């Protein structure tokens, strides 16, 4: 049987290819330090697991959930935004429950654009944004995220033609893959840009819990007028180490929330109610676990930066997320350098070009192994002798 034309257009899942390579190396018996992926390494906090256990014993949770999610979960999401960001959210009209932010990102073009419409994506950016482009039958333009601009897009540099045709844009701060962060001023400018050009904004806040050096990441909805132009996607995957649980929510613009709810009425029957109850516990419960997790990532970041400096590798310290975006030494492409690290040092990293054209010249490292393993990874790289001259290219 043939796949549909649409399915045939889907890009090869970038992480799937990376996983295959790493698994092949592990199958050969090699001790690979895997810094390539974005899967949190620590467990879900115990109080959240207990909430799932208790809820799953209640036969009520074995039935279909309300299609648009449990009311108490929407209220917990609204309370969370008030407490964490001082943003007022109406749980009835401004929250949609989603099975992880990836689903929201993929279904949004289908929900609010027409085939052939244009959307605007960051480059480099999270590769799964492209799945939504193909499934929604839409086109995309890109905005470069450059080191010299602190990995923020510069709206003035977009051509009139692009500004005219885009109807939806995605942003993501703290940023995957660059580790860059955004401030309120940037989000205020974004609201202005969106109003001037009639663009709907989706801010992917997947790493919202993790800002370093005492800087709490800013929510897009803190910007004046943000709800008039867009939504924010929040996932429990990273904040509470719940990546496998598949739960998150969208908050903000009523029309976009209604569009998500409508498309989901047709695609899904919401999420297992016990998972929703666990999500309520995560959002309402003790947040010490989130602070502890952030401190662990920051500690790992510091080890990576110090160790790299020691061997003469002049890397950028990420300001948030759990990724570091490292310059590739002169003479290598991103892919060549990533292959070299896997083949000769048993260190897996993601090649920057997998995140877009402007990812060339970088590799992405996940801070998702212990400080000891990170130290060992840099020591293995040191043995390759590449950084003796300490010359790295700055893209
Ligand atoms: C930038 C970004 N957005 C969204 C996601 C998807 O997260 P979720 O588990 O909520 O689908 C990821 C996961 O790695 C991500 O890095």
């Amino acid at each position: 049987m043939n796949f549909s034309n649409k399915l045939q257009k889907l890009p090869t899942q970038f992480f799937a290819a990376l996983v295959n390579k790493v698994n092949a190396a592990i199958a050969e018996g090699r001790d690979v330090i895997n810094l390539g992926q974005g899967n949190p390494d620590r467990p879900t906090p115990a109080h959240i697991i207990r909430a799932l256990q208790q809820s799953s014993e209640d036969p009520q949770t074995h039935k279909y959930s309300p299609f648009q999610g449990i009311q108490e979960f929407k209220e917990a999401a609204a309370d969370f935004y008030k407490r964490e960001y001082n943003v007022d959210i109406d749980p009835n009209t401004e929250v949609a429950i989603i099975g992880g932010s990836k689903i929201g990102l993929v279904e949004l073009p289908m929900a609010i654009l027409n085939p052939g419409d244009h959307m605007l994506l960051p480059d480099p950016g999270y590769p799964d944004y492209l799945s939504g482009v193909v499934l929604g039958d839409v086109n995309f333009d890109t905005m470069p995220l450059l080191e010299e601009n602190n990995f923020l897009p510069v709206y003035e540099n977009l051509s009139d033609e692009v500004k005219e045709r885009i109807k939806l844009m995605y942003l993501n701060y703290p940023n995957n893959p660059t580790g860059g962060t955004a401030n309120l001023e940037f989000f205020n400018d974004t609201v202005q840009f969106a109003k001037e050009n009639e663009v709907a904004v989706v801010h992917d806040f997947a790493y919202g819990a993790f800002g370093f050096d005492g800087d709490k990441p800013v929510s897009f909805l803190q910007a004046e007028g943000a709800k008039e132009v867009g939504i924010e996607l929040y996932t429990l995957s990273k904040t509470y180490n719940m990546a496998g649980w598949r739960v998150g929510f969208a908050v903000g613009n009523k029309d976009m929330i209604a569009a998500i709810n409508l498309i989901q009425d047709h695609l899904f029957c919401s999420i297992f109610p016990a998972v929703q109850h666990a999500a309520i516990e995560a959002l309402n419960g003790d947040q010490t676990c989130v602070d502890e997790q952030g401190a662990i990532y920051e500690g790992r970041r510091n080890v990576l930066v110090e160790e790299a400096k020691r061997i003469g590798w002049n890397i950028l310290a990420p300001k948030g997320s759990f990724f570091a975006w490292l310059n590739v030494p002169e003479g290598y492409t991103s892919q060549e350098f990533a292959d070299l690290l896997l083949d000769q040092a048993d260190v897996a990293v993601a090649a920057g070009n997998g995140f877009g054209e402007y990812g060339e010249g970088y590799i992405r490292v996940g801070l998702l192994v212990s400080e000891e393993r990170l130290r060992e990874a840099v020591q293995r790289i040191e043995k390759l002798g590449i950084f003796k001259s300490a010359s790295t290219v700055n893209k």
Side-chain angles (χ1 to χ4, degrees), residues 73 97-103 126 235-238 242-248 270-272 275:
F73 184 9
I97 304 303
I98 48 177
S101 49
K102 175 172 171 173
I103 290 202
Y126 179 53
T235 176
L236 281 77
S237 294
K238 324 281 172 169
M242 294 173 72
W245 298 54
R246 312 309 308 136
V247 60
S270 194
I271 302 164
F272 178 32
V275 168

